Amino acid sequence: MGRKWKMSKKRGAENRVERPKKERPSTNYEELVRENKNFETFYKAQKIVPEEEWEAFITCMKENLPAAFRLTGSKNMACALLQVMKKTFFEPLSQLVPPELTQEELDTGEEPVKPLKPVCLPWYPDNLAWQLNLTRRNIRRCEAYWQLHQFLISETETGNISRQEAVSMIPPLVLDVQPHHKVLDMCAAPGSKTAQLIEFLHSAEEELSATIPPGIVVANDADNRRCYMLTHQAKRLQSPAIMITNHDAAFMPNIHHTRNDGSVGPIKFDRILCDVPCSGDGTMRKNFDVWAKWNPLRIARRGLEMLAVGGRLVYSTCSLNPLEDEAVIQRLLIEADGSVQLVDVSSQLPGLKIMPGLEDWTLINREMEVVKSVEEIPAKNTNLFNKHLFPPTPESREKLDLHKCVRILPHHQDTGGFFVAVLEKVKALPGEKIYFEKDQPVDQNQLATNTQRIRQPPKKKRRQGFKEEPYYYFEEDEVVWPGIDAFYGVRKEVGAGLFLSRTKEGKKRNIYFTNSLIKDIIINTGVKVLVRSDNKGAPCDFRLAQDGSQVLLPLITNRKISVTGNDLVIMLQNDDMEMPPEIVTLDPTTQEQCAGTGAIAFLYKGNDMTIELVGWKGNKSVRAYVAKNDRIHYLRLLGADTSKYEKNKFAEQRDLEAKNNSEEDVSIASNKTVESDGENGQSIEDTAEVIGENSIIEKVDANGSGSIECK
């Protein structure tokens, strides 16, 4: 299509009349006036900010939000990268004196480069979350800041750093996820919070439990395309316990699984994250129909229905508006009638300044008129306001405990605004269906009204979207399994039944892996662990995949060798697939382990850090199957040179300027006229050529004879 368009465009070029281009007005976003009278009127009435802090609040709201990020992945790798970041970038930058402005920059009103002040978020575990006041202007003018920026970009592309607003990291923290929990993220895309949930699921100390946690994370989003973006994000974490669904969260269907007694019933989740789409501060006064739709309420209500008794649901928004925050929680608590209660989580966030939830607020309509009660709702607003939007009565405030909600104000710690409420389900909701297993004790008081017989769920029509091939789990007689098992020595407690592929018959290209709970649910999922390899003479038809190395390597006993840090550097700095490094260049202890050809894993342990890479061993050489950005990441951790894979635009500019200056000096020197007393008193002219990096000067006298000098 693109080629045809280009051809037709070219053919019609001779007949096309050139029209004058319209000049687009340049927009300087820094010059936009950040003021809104209605915003100030509305939030002053809500009293979410103490009166003495109002000016600081408004001033902060008008400033740009600092960049925030966290280091991801396994704890030991994240901590290793943290040390590299602090030693290589933060410590030198703390001593850096920003460059002074030139006179030209002063004349144009350029602001000076501000000193960099990395801020560690004290409430995030293990010092793995940071804020930076790194602006585009500073990156453009200061080489050290530019290098830090390139580091952050590179590590983000490999998934070792996640760019995420500081307050957005809070909901997964207060959810308190444990490795055995069944977790649901109802509105998951783009996936930053989902990644946190997966990390917590893999937080067990024991190796096998950390690799294959007994719990799961179900990440759901209503947008089909965003689900594929979510898949890409989750893939980096190599978890066999993640599945992605595509449903409207407000009407999310039950997910059935085979239970311990052989019956089939819906999963009740231990933890549910309900980070709802919100209008954003200020737009509620422009889009009043949001109040009538109450999507956040419907999503949260459905979440409570899917929550197990004793489980925890976190409701969060990026809005400060009590109509999207406390009003929703109030209605949930009233409808739950004692089945749900708020949990105080302020002690779980040490170092974070928070404000308690509001117990009183003010309704204001589009015309900025205050509506004091249900009876005073104007006729023009009856389709927008209802009794549940008003604050609780003094009598019911103590029962609701809305002060246990958490509100984060921007000016307190230079963050965005945020609201979080943690709800615990203490008993079944009124009218909720209860599913009992055969040997489970039954509450006779609930049996008559709140139970239903367990039956096989009906087959549902598949939702339209991107077409996916089905997955097939290995049977006991799977043809390719004996060869894989013998070559890699798979641990007996794992077995073949948790491996799957998308091909039932014929050659299998990729092999995936899930935990047992995912298999019971039978959902398209899995992390790729093996890839077909058609190398002649290879003892096994499948090689290891780096995509799933963190999952598979703890499960196999063969084809793993210990290497030195220098061995890894040699392999990582050599990306020539035609001329891989020879085995003789490796450490003697490594050479002794290199027996047999085929897929192999290289394991390095040192300085509280473990690096695991997959690759291939030939007859005389070895190679690592690692992508470019991952090579940079591992070389950084090893303290090795990364210049081969990184370009420094400041250094390139200096080299170019030095070369131009050198050529200019040579040109000036070669054009000088040297006078000499010749035989006839005639002058001697010097002419010169510059070839490569050498200055070659040809001297010719009046008689035509000459000499050549190299400078």
Side-chain angles (χ1 to χ4, degrees):
M1 180 177 177
R3 183 179 297 178
K4 291 182 179 179
W5 183 86
K6 290 179 181 178
M7 290 175 64
S8 62
K9 182 177 179 181
K10 185 176 180 180
R11 288 169 184 162
E14 63 275 9
N15 299 322
R16 187 169 60 246
V17 178
E18 292 292 337
R19 297 179 181 177
K21 294 183 179 180
K22 294 182 180 180
E23 293 187 3
R24 298 178 63 182
S26 60
T27 303
N28 187 342
Y29 292 99
E30 297 295 330
E31 297 177 358
L32 293 178
V33 179
R34 303 185 185 188
E35 292 183 2
N36 188 314
K37 183 179 179 181
N38 287 347
F39 177 92
E40 296 193 29
T41 301
F42 182 83
Y43 280 105
K44 275 186 176 180
Q46 307 312 320
K47 298 180 180 179
I48 64 170
V49 181
E51 188 174 348
E52 65 274 12
E53 297 181 18
W54 180 259
E55 289 303 320
F57 168 72
I58 287 297
T59 301
C60 183
M61 292 289 283
K62 295 178 181 180
E63 296 176 350
N64 292 331
L65 193 66
F69 64 92
R70 61 184 186 83
L71 285 72
T72 66
S74 63
K75 183 177 177 180
N76 69 332
M77 291 294 285
C79 290
L81 184 60
L82 173 63
Q83 296 307 313
V84 171
M85 182 177 69
K86 291 169 69 175
K87 183 177 180 180
T88 308
F89 298 101
F90 288 174
E91 290 179 7
L93 285 172
S94 65
Q95 308 298 325
L96 178 71
V97 177
E100 295 182 0
L101 295 177
T102 63
Q103 186 59 47
E104 182 181 355
E105 290 170 333
L106 289 171
D107 295 339
T108 57
E110 184 80 29
E111 295 183 6
V113 173
K114 298 179 180 179
L116 187 70
K117 297 179 180 179
V119 177
C120 179
L121 302 180
W123 42 267
Y124 200 89
D126 302 312
N127 298 327
L128 295 180
W130 292 76
Q131 274 187 333
L132 285 174
N133 59 329
L134 195 61
T135 66
R136 287 191 177 93
R137 180 182 291 110
N138 293 352
I139 294 168
R140 187 177 67 249
R141 294 193 64 250
C142 181
E143 179 177 356
Y145 291 174
W146 181 85
Q147 290 176 332
L148 172 60
H149 185 243
Q150 293 302 110
F151 161 79
L152 295 175
I153 291 175
S154 172
E155 295 297 337
T156 299
E157 289 177 350
T158 59
N160 298 298
I161 283 179
S162 175
R163 175 76 181 271
Q164 188 176 0
E165 190 176 344
V167 289
S168 177
M169 305 175 192
I170 295 172
L173 286 181
V174 296
L175 200 56
D176 189 29
V177 173
Q178 302 298 321
H180 64 278
H181 282 158
K182 295 182 283 291
V183 187
L184 170 63
D185 189 351
M186 299 188 76
C187 308
S192 297
K193 297 183 187 67
T194 305
Q196 285 180 268
L197 299 176
I198 296 172
E199 289 168 20
F200 294 146
L201 200 70
H202 286 262
S203 62
E205 295 294 333
E206 198 272 321
E207 184 185 47
L208 191 59
S209 297
T211 303
I212 316 175
I216 59 169
V217 171
V218 177
N220 176 75
D221 201 85
D223 189 307
N224 189 269
R225 292 182 181 273
R226 284 165 64 89
C227 283
Y228 278 79
M229 178 172 60
L230 181 62
T231 302
H232 175 71
Q233 295 283 58
K235 179 182 176 183
R236 295 171 172 174
L237 294 171
Q238 301 187 19
S239 174
I242 172 73
M243 56 180 274
I244 295 169
T245 59
N246 178 208
H247 294 286
D248 182 344
F251 306 100
M252 190 167 180
N254 287 324
I255 299 176
H256 292 76
H257 72 129
T258 304
R259 294 143 63 111
N260 294 333
D261 64 351
S263 62
V264 176
I267 287 180
K268 289 292 186 178
F269 291 93
D270 304 295
R271 298 289 187 267
I272 294 181
L273 178 57
C274 189
D275 186 58
V276 297
C278 58
S279 63
D281 293 321
T283 63
M284 285 286 281
R285 295 186 298 280
K286 301 176 183 178
N287 306 312
F288 269 62
D289 60 326
V290 175
W291 286 346
K293 293 178 180 177
W294 281 105
N295 285 331
L297 175 65
R298 290 206 300 261
I299 294 172
R301 184 188 289 136
R302 179 58 183 145
L304 289 176
E305 292 172 356
M306 303 181 75
L307 187 66
V309 174
R312 178 178 286 193
L313 179 145
V314 170
Y315 175 90
S316 60
T317 77
C318 57
S319 171
L320 298 176
N321 195 328
L323 301 183
E324 294 182 278
D325 300 338
E326 285 90 349
V328 174
I329 299 301
Q330 173 186 232
R331 185 163 182 179
L332 289 172
L333 292 171
I334 291 173
E335 291 180 351
D337 191 23
S339 301
V340 175
Q341 63 184 20
L342 279 165
V343 179
D344 185 357
V345 294
S346 56
S347 61
Q348 293 182 233
L349 302 166
L352 178 67
K353 187 171 182 180
I354 60 178
M355 298 293 289
L358 298 177
E359 296 185 306
D360 190 21
W361 56 87
T362 303
L363 261 69
I364 300 178
N365 66 8
R366 191 192 306 271
E367 291 73 29
M368 303 307 293
E369 300 168 342
V370 175
V371 182
K372 295 182 179 180
S373 65
V374 177
E375 293 74 24
E376 295 183 19
I377 296 177
K380 60 186 176 183
N381 296 141
T382 53
N383 64 325
L384 301 175
F385 292 161
N386 60 62
K387 64 180 182 180
H388 298 290
L389 293 177
F390 291 88
T393 62
E395 296 78 22
S396 60
R397 288 180 184 176
E398 185 176 350
K399 182 180 179 181
L400 294 175
D401 286 335
L402 291 178
H403 65 276
K404 292 182 178 179
C405 299
V406 172
R407 179 176 272 102
I408 294 98
L409 298 180
H411 66 291
H412 282 164
Q413 287 172 302
D414 201 10
T415 65
F418 213 70
F419 174 86
V420 179
V422 181
L423 296 165
E424 183 179 1
K425 190 173 183 179
V426 295
K427 62 181 181 179
L429 299 171
E432 181 181 353
K433 309 295 186 188
I434 308 296
Y435 292 75
F436 296 100
E437 293 189 20
K438 293 177 181 178
D439 300 328
Q440 180 180 350
V442 179
D443 185 344
Q444 296 298 324
N445 295 326
Q446 295 183 341
L447 187 60
T449 57
N450 290 346
T451 64
Q452 74 176 38
R453 295 174 61 187
I454 299 171
R455 62 183 184 276
Q456 191 74 20
K459 291 185 178 180
K460 296 185 178 181
K461 185 177 180 181
R462 182 179 176 134
R463 289 172 58 89
Q464 290 188 351
F466 293 97
K467 185 177 180 181
E468 291 282 3
E469 294 295 329
Y471 284 76
Y472 301 95
Y473 279 92
F474 283 7
E475 302 289 345
E476 292 183 1
D477 58 350
E478 172 58 50
V479 175
V480 301
W481 177 249
I484 294 173
D485 188 22
F487 188 69
Y488 292 109
V490 181
R491 293 169 64 161
K492 299 303 180 184
E493 56 265 46
V494 179
L498 298 180
F499 291 85
L500 61 155
S501 72
R502 290 191 171 186
T503 306
K504 190 173 181 63
E505 306 293 341
K507 279 190 174 183
K508 294 172 170 57
R509 303 301 305 176
N510 298 317
I511 297 177
Y512 302 82
F513 181 85
T514 70
N515 68 0
S516 57
L517 184 52
I518 291 286
K519 181 180 179 181
D520 289 340
I521 297 171
I522 314 176
I523 288 289
N524 289 4
T525 183
V527 57
K528 182 168 65 176
V529 292
L530 293 169
V531 179
R532 177 169 287 279
S533 174
D534 292 326
N535 289 342
K536 292 183 178 180
C540 181
D541 293 334
F542 292 88
R543 66 171 177 83
L544 299 165
Q546 186 69 32
D547 292 355
S549 59
Q550 295 178 19
V551 175
L552 186 61
L553 296 188
L555 309 183
I556 64 177
T557 57
N558 298 341
R559 308 304 299 170
K560 298 192 293 186
I561 64 173
S562 298
V563 298
T564 67
N566 187 58
D567 291 336
L568 284 188
V569 172
I570 291 173
M571 288 184 280
L572 291 169
Q573 289 183 337
N574 188 315
D575 58 351
D576 187 348
M577 300 304 288
E578 299 298 326
M579 294 291 292
E582 295 185 355
I583 296 175
V584 294
T585 62
L586 304 180
D587 188 270
T589 59
T590 303
Q591 296 181 40
E592 293 174 2
Q593 302 173 70
C594 292
T597 60
I600 197 167
F602 307 104
L603 311 182
Y604 166 74
K605 293 185 178 181
N607 300 325
D608 299 324
M609 174 181 64
T610 300
I611 297 178
E612 300 173 338
L613 304 181
V614 305
W616 189 269
K617 180 196 170 294
N619 291 324
K620 297 182 179 180
S621 62
V622 291
R623 64 185 61 177
Y625 291 137
V626 184
K628 174 185 173 181
N629 285 330
D630 288 320
R631 287 176 184 267
I632 297 173
H633 167 68
Y634 292 123
L635 286 171
R636 281 197 187 107
L637 295 181
L638 294 165
D641 180 23
T642 62
S643 59
K644 177 178 180 179
Y645 303 110
E646 292 183 301
K647 289 186 177 180
N648 186 331
K649 68 175 185 179
F650 287 89
E652 291 177 350
Q653 181 64 29
R654 285 195 297 270
D655 292 342
L656 181 61
E657 290 175 356
K659 182 178 179 180
N660 291 339
N661 292 337
S662 176
E663 291 178 353
E664 184 178 350
D665 292 342
V666 170
S667 178
I668 292 172
S670 63
N671 288 329
K672 288 182 178 180
T673 302
V674 180
E675 294 184 357
S676 175
D677 292 331
E679 222 179 344
N680 300 319
Q682 296 179 347
S683 63
I684 299 175
E685 280 187 20
D686 292 348
T687 60
E689 294 178 347
V690 178
I691 302 177
E693 297 180 356
N694 298 319
S695 299
I696 300 179
I697 301 178
E698 182 180 5
K699 296 185 177 181
V700 184
D701 61 21
N703 297 321
S705 61
S707 62
I708 294 179
E709 296 181 0
C710 293
K711 293 187 176 181

